[in-house]
Amino acid sequence: MIPTIGFYDSAENFYRGFLAGILSQSDRHLIKSNRESENGRSDLMVRNPSLRGKAFIIEVKVSKGIHDLEKDTEDAAKQIHEKGYIAELQTEGYRDIICYGISFYQKDCEVQLDKG
């Protein structure tokens, strides 16, 4: 039997670390976790070393129930813009910035894509 995520591995730090671990396997992108910005900390920033490449911001939420996934995902995507997480990447010169709001409830998740 292969071990998987348990139902009790549900803190936001767990999911952020899980995603950072998966994304860090790419040799084509730089990953920063819990990066401070003007008004808070974005959960994950993924950027191509070239300013001509894509950059991604990922905000993670943990829902209290299965029926909260969609709203929490929308809230995560809104938070990226409301807290100005994009500003650092724009200041560096990235133009192609993609934002993801992701909400988890146990082993389920919802993802919202938002072009920055």
Side-chain angles (χ1 to χ4, degrees):
M1 175 182 267
I2 299 173
T4 62
I5 299 169
F7 282 101
Y8 298 104
D9 293 328
S10 59
E12 186 174 314
N13 289 339
F14 172 80
Y15 291 111
R16 183 178 59 242
F18 175 73
L19 289 173
I22 291 171
L23 295 171
S24 69
Q25 299 305 305
S26 170
D27 57 354
R28 297 174 53 195
H29 292 89
L30 307 170
I31 313 298
K32 291 191 178 181
S33 177
N34 219 15
R35 179 79 177 175
E36 287 187 37
S37 72
E38 296 174 7
N39 299 314
R41 298 173 187 255
S42 61
D43 286 321
L44 292 166
M45 277 191 181
V46 181
R47 60 182 93 188
N48 188 295
S50 170
L51 295 175
R52 293 179 292 160
K54 293 183 186 320
F56 306 89
I57 298 175
I58 301 170
E59 185 62 28
V60 176
K61 299 285 183 199
V62 175
S63 296
K64 291 182 180 178
I66 191 76
H67 301 294
D68 298 322
L69 279 171
E70 190 172 321
K71 181 188 180 310
D72 291 341
T73 301
E74 290 171 9
D75 290 347
K78 285 181 193 173
Q79 181 177 331
I80 293 169
H81 296 287
E82 289 172 356
K83 300 248 180 185
Y85 298 158
I86 295 174
E88 177 183 343
L89 294 171
Q90 289 173 328
T91 299
E92 288 179 18
Y94 287 94
R95 289 194 239 173
D96 195 359
I97 302 170
I98 300 170
C99 305
Y100 290 97
I102 303 177
S103 183
F104 292 91
Y105 177 72
Q106 297 179 357
K107 293 184 181 183
D108 285 308
C109 77
E110 180 85 15
V111 178
Q112 179 175 323
L113 168 68
D114 183 41
K115 190 84 163 152

